[in-house]
Each structure stands twice: as structure tokens, then as C-alpha cells.
Amino acid sequence: MKVLVIGGGAREHALCRSLSLDPDVTALHCAPGNAGIAEVAELHPVDQLDGAAVAALAGELGADLVVVGPEAPLVAGVADAVRAAGIPVFGPSQEAAQLEGSKAFAKDVMAGAGVPTARSYVCTTPEEIEEALDAFGAPYVVKDDGLAAGKGVVVTEDVEQARAHALACDRVVIEEFLDGPEVSLFAITDGTTVLPLQPAQDFKRALDGDEGPNTGGMGAYSPLPWAAPNLVEEVLATVLQPTVDELRRRGTPFSGLLYAGLAITGRGIRVIEFNARFGDPETQVVLARLQTPLAGVLLNSANGTLADQAPLVWRDEAAVTVVVASHNYPGTPRTGDPIEGLAEVAEKDAPHAYVLHAGTKRDGDAVLSAGGRVLSVTATGSDLTEARERAYAAVGRIRLDGSQHRTDIAEKAARG
């Protein structure tokens, strides 16, 4: 099978790494990719938001499967263009991707499907914003309706900050605060059959102790030793399957990766948000634990044959990812700094720990930082304690001027 992956972050590096280890994959391509992905896949320049260009590239390469990584190409309709060219594609249509592209659309789908979520108001005027802020009170949860790369949400006790964020958005969703731990649960679907993966937890705040601004994610771990044993089954029955059924009923079937961001509240499971693609950095730990070869599962989703898929096999190991971010992230990051220590990690920490590239580029023999989140250092171990130790040992070998990372990823869960 020849596979083309679209994207260039750590999520795509994790996907490419898993696909490169799949014996059924005979050729692996990525567009545009990054310095790390270049070690396992052939890179091609492409405008990843241009469906015609992506479809043309897939045709030239003779791709048997196209995997669209990020949300922006999905919301731009790239999967539709590839499908129209007769090439199997893993990723939802533009219409179905509105589940992530519009918070208001997602709330409407959840209402139709009877999926438990936070009470909310969709606001477009200053008057509506004031009413919603008054109705819920602090802590305020204010979400930009559109795509914001994981940074469009403000959760604050400060009404002025909440109001300022709301007024800066064209359309905004203001909702009640959900207490309790958060869980990310991915499911692969072909629009009918839903195949849940193992749950993970990510860390959105920039600083230790969940302080600082929201980011795209500073680390993740899996499994969740504190979660109820029937969590996956309950989410499948109350959230994932009803959502997929509702979208099919509306004539906008969803195939690809359905990501449910969940709060485990005192009143039960509630959906915080849906995404229409693999989450970053949770993908890094979930795929580290998946033993079943990946390509066939994704192809079954693309071809509508997921009902034929054998049950997924998971490793008993735990996995931890620590994100190394550039100076000033999540503000305007500093880029162009050399990254050292990558060869050292490969030599001393493999196969239990490895580095997945996010914002990197090659300059001759050097690898330079080229984004806010630069690397995802991922490790596996017999339990979370061992996986953490291995991940942080590898992080300690990496030298990037001004870089930052959290030191408490999976710490509480490992302590039990």
C-alpha cells in the first residue's frame, strides 16, 4: 500500500512513524512534512489547504490511501477533492468537519443526538454576550466558534477577560463550566461502525500545575489508571455512536477520526468539544500503545468496511509525551534556533523513547526550530512512572536555546 499523509506536525510524525512500521506499507509520502518525518517518509511540497493540489499529488504518487492530519485542510474540503478523484481518504468531508469547524454546529448535532454536554449560548452581539456571561457566572468559558488551533478557548474567573475574548470573536459560544478531570477519546469511524481507541489525557496549560495560558497541548499520557473500567464503552454508547448516527441521519456522514474531548463531572460524562482529526499531543501516546498495524484500519474507514476490522490489539505499556516548545510559546514563538541532542536520544534512549518533530526544519546538517511546539518527546514503559522517567531523561538530552517544557506531565496519575 502506498500512503500519503498530509500535514507537518508531531501528530503527522506519529502517524508516519506508525505507518512506516506497518509491513503492508510499501511506500510512505508526506506533504509538506518536517525534518523528522523526512527520516521515515518522502517529503513533497504542497499547499495543504488546496484540495486540487493534494488530489493531483496523490494521483501522481499512485497513492492507495491519503491520510489528512490537521483540521484546517479538512474544514477546507481537501478530503472531498481527494475522494472526487477516486482515491480512498481518511478524513471527513468539509460538511462533516464542521463538527470541529463550528462549535455552534457541534452543539446542534449534540442536541439532535441526545449527547450530554454543557449548557451554552451562541452569541453574535455584545448584548447576547452580556446576557450569557450573566447567566452562567464565573468561571467563564468562552469559545471562538471557528477554528483557532486549540487556542480559541478562554476559561477565566475574570469577567473582563471573558468579555474581551468574546468581543474579539465574530461568533462565540459561551457555556457553563464543567468540573472534573478531562479525557480525550478518539474513535475511528466509516460513518456507521465506530471503533474507539484507548483514552488519553492532555495538558493544555503552558506551565506546571495547570497555570498559564491555554496552548495547543504541552504533553499527554495513556492509559488513565484513575478512569472507570467501563469508560470507553459508556462513551461509545452515549457520545460517539449517537453522534455518528445523527450525522448520517442528517445526510452528512462522518468518516475518519472523531475526537471527543470529555469532562468526567459529578453529574456524569459531558462533551467539552469534538474534533474531526487525531489530537496533538494525544496521538503520540495512543499510537505508541497500538499494536495493530495502522494502515489497514485507516483504509477500512476510508472504504466503509470498518465492520470487517478485527478487534484492535493494545500493548500493556504506558506512554508519556512531553512537548518541548520554543521561547515565548504560546505567544509569538522564536524560531530558527538550532536543536541539539537528537542523535544522542536516538543512540541512548531508543527504542523506549524517541523524538517526534513538530515545528522543525532542516538547514544543511542542522535541524532548526520552526514553530511554537517544536518536539514531542515520547516514551513507553511498564507503567506511567517508568514512561515518565524515560521521557524526561530524553528531554534532558535536548538542547534548544530558550525552550520550555512542563515538568509535571502524568505526575499525579503516576503517583496514583
Side-chain angles (χ1 to χ4, degrees), residues 102-415:
S102 166
K103 305 286 189 300
F105 176 79
K107 287 288 187 184
D108 191 54
V109 169
M110 283 188 265
V115 168
T117 185
R119 291 179 300 121
S120 64
Y121 294 103
V122 180
C123 307
T124 55
T125 68
E127 293 75 25
E128 289 172 346
I129 287 167
E130 287 306 320
E131 281 178 35
L133 292 174
D134 285 348
F136 290 129
Y140 303 97
V141 181
V142 184
K143 300 180 176 182
D144 190 334
D145 181 53
L147 289 183
K151 289 174 282 196
V153 179
V154 165
V155 181
T156 179
E157 297 279 347
D158 181 348
V159 70
E160 292 301 329
Q161 190 186 356
R163 184 182 293 119
H165 182 61
L167 290 169
C169 304
D170 287 336
R171 187 155 82 143
V172 67
V173 175
I174 297 174
E175 62 184 41
E176 68 175 326
F177 177 75
L178 296 174
D179 64 328
E182 293 185 14
V183 173
S184 300
L185 185 60
F186 303 161
I188 291 170
T189 178
D190 59 5
T192 303
T193 301
V194 182
L195 190 66
L197 306 186
Q198 288 290 303
Q201 187 175 59
D202 80 330
F203 293 75
K204 283 280 185 237
R205 299 282 187 171
L207 307 174
D208 283 7
D210 291 327
E211 299 288 330
N214 257 355
T215 70
M218 294 299 290
Y221 69 94
S222 180
L224 311 182
W226 48 267
N230 66 337
L231 174 70
V232 174
E233 291 76 12
E234 187 180 343
V235 175
L236 176 62
T238 61
V239 174
L240 298 168
Q241 190 72 57
T243 300
V244 169
D245 291 346
E246 173 68 10
L247 284 163
R248 190 176 67 252
R249 187 187 68 74
R250 290 173 175 230
T252 53
F254 186 107
S255 78
L257 195 291
L258 178 58
Y259 164 144
L262 309 163
I264 312 300
T265 77
R267 293 173 296 140
I269 293 166
R270 297 287 184 273
V271 175
I272 300 167
E273 64 175 358
F274 282 123
N275 291 327
R277 39 72 197 180
F278 279 104
D280 182 342
E282 301 98 321
T283 302
Q284 289 85 303
V285 291
V286 173
L287 291 186
R289 298 186 56 224
L290 180 64
Q291 199 167 317
T292 301
L294 184 61
V297 187
L298 303 186
L299 188 62
N300 277 333
S301 163
N303 285 338
T305 52
L306 207 54
D308 301 335
Q309 175 67 44
L312 299 178
V313 180
W314 296 91
R315 297 185 178 90
D316 290 334
E317 293 179 308
V320 171
T321 282
V322 179
V323 170
V324 177
S326 55
H327 177 73
N328 199 41
Y329 178 77
T332 305
R334 194 172 82 201
T335 58
D337 289 311
I339 303 163
E340 295 172 343
L342 296 173
E344 217 176 308
V345 174
E347 183 189 328
K348 294 182 176 170
D349 300 297
H352 301 298
Y354 48 89
V355 178
L356 298 167
H357 291 232
T360 68
K361 65 176 182 184
R362 193 165 279 286
D363 182 19
D365 289 339
V367 175
L368 306 180
S369 62
R373 292 186 295 173
V374 181
L375 305 169
S376 281
V377 180
T378 303
T380 55
S382 58
D383 56 19
L384 286 173
T385 300
E386 187 174 46
R388 282 190 86 243
E389 286 167 0
R390 287 170 169 174
Y392 280 108
V395 168
R397 301 190 206 282
I398 290 165
R399 294 174 297 285
L400 170 61
D401 188 43
S403 70
Q404 52 173 320
H405 65 271
R406 283 184 58 160
T407 65
D408 62 349
I409 303 300
E411 186 176 35
K412 273 188 199 162
R415 279 206 309 261

